[in-house]
Amino acid sequence: MRNIDLHGKRAVVVGGATGIGRASAYALAQAGADVVTVSRREHTAAFAGPADVSARITHRALDISRHDDTVRLFDEIIAGGGFDIAVLSAAVIEPASAEDSDEAHWRRHMDVNVDGIFYCARESIRHMASEGRTGKVVIVGSVSGMVGNPGFAAYCASKGLWINLTRQLALDNAARGINVNSVLPGFTDTELTQIYDAETKAAIAAAVPARVWASPEQIADAVLFLSSPLADYVHGVNLPVDGGYLAAGPV
């Protein structure tokens, strides 16, 4: 199998300060790409590892729910040389059933998980198409877009939308050489999933065929594959990386 070599490529990772986005940014930089991470907050810690890898990563602050700010920042990144890879990993997850969801709760999920990610995908595709570039757009979804997750109505709804929109964006752009795919993480140990207490986390692990939660780095490996030339003929795939969770059926 060919090694993944992304030297000479530039990437944007939205939601790149923490969790899966952060791990994905580092994986892309390890493969040789120059990476711009984008998030509402600064990095929680410096990227560990070889200095030449960390030096390939720069950061820009952005709230992707603010449409005008998103367009402006993407314009600035494009003016600085553009990019070949877009990884869209920002997300909001807060527990609430439908009857307990007020308008603000619903709007937070839609503003970031749907509208914000759409703006970033749209601007990425516009850039690649206008420059005549081939490119990769990788959306980080969730297995909760495929099956329900009790008590997370807004989150599941937002992630479910991206299952089909990934397919649609792929159909619209495959002939241009722009690959649009998504990764569907299962239960992954990140800052977002600290909402679960230890007992619940153990019960969830017992229900996953692999019997463990994923690490962000394991999800980032799938992101790296879909961002690479190894995935040049992969279009419109929603790839579960879930320890067998979806294969097992309802648990």
Side-chain angles (χ1 to χ4, degrees), residues 202-235:
I204 290 170
V208 174
R211 297 293 187 265
V212 293
W213 283 54
S215 69
E217 290 74 22
Q218 288 172 315
I219 310 303
D221 285 342
V223 171
L224 179 61
F225 163 69
L226 290 174
S227 302
S228 79
L230 297 179
D232 280 351
Y233 204 60
V234 181
H235 295 272

Side-chain angles (χ1 to χ4, degrees), residues 12-19 21-22 36-44 47 58-65 70 73-74 77 87 89-91 112 120:
V12 174
V13 180
V14 176
T18 58
R22 180 182 174 86
V36 178
T37 59
V38 175
S39 73
R40 286 181 298 175
R41 51 181 167 164
E42 295 299 327
H43 292 301
T44 55
F47 282 93
T58 57
H59 182 71
R60 301 292 299 275
L62 173 69
D63 180 350
I64 64 170
S65 69
T70 299
L73 180 59
F74 270 75
I77 295 171
V87 176
S89 183
V112 175
C120 294

Side-chain angles (χ1 to χ4, degrees), residues 44-215:
T44 55
F47 282 93
D52 62 327
V53 175
S54 298
R56 295 192 190 107
I57 304 172
T58 57
H59 182 71
R60 301 292 299 275
L62 173 69
D63 180 350
I64 64 170
S65 69
R66 300 172 66 89
H67 178 207
D68 291 344
D69 290 349
T70 299
V71 173
R72 189 178 304 113
L73 180 59
F74 270 75
D75 284 346
E76 291 174 7
I77 295 171
I78 291 164
F83 54 93
D84 313 280
I85 299 162
V87 176
L88 311 181
S89 183
V92 170
I93 176 171
E94 298 172 0
S97 63
E99 62 268 31
D100 293 332
S101 298
D102 60 17
E103 184 177 355
H105 171 88
W106 178 264
R107 198 65 263 152
R108 279 192 299 275
H109 286 77
M110 298 303 124
D111 284 347
V112 175
N113 298 1
V114 176
D115 296 349
I117 296 298
F118 177 76
Y119 299 148
C120 294
R122 185 191 64 187
E123 294 308 304
S124 299
I125 291 168
R126 280 180 172 173
H127 163 57
M128 293 172 185
S130 67
E131 295 288 324
R133 294 173 182 250
T134 59
K136 303 289 193 294
V137 178
V138 183
I139 296 117
V140 178
S142 171
V143 293
S144 293
M146 297 286 289
V147 295
N149 187 356
F152 289 86
Y155 179 74
C156 291
S158 68
K159 292 299 183 177
L161 178 144
W162 275 104
I163 299 295
N164 214 38
L165 196 49
T166 292
R167 298 186 184 110
Q168 185 61 48
L169 294 177
L171 289 174
D172 290 343
N173 293 283
R176 295 166 162 174
I178 300 172
N179 302 69
V180 183
N181 295 288
S182 76
V183 172
L184 307 181
F187 292 95
T188 307
D189 192 12
T190 70
E191 292 86 346
L192 290 178
T193 55
Q194 297 311 307
I195 58 176
Y196 294 104
D197 60 31
E199 182 179 358
T200 302
K201 291 183 75 170
I204 290 170
V208 174
R211 297 293 187 265
V212 293
W213 283 54
S215 69

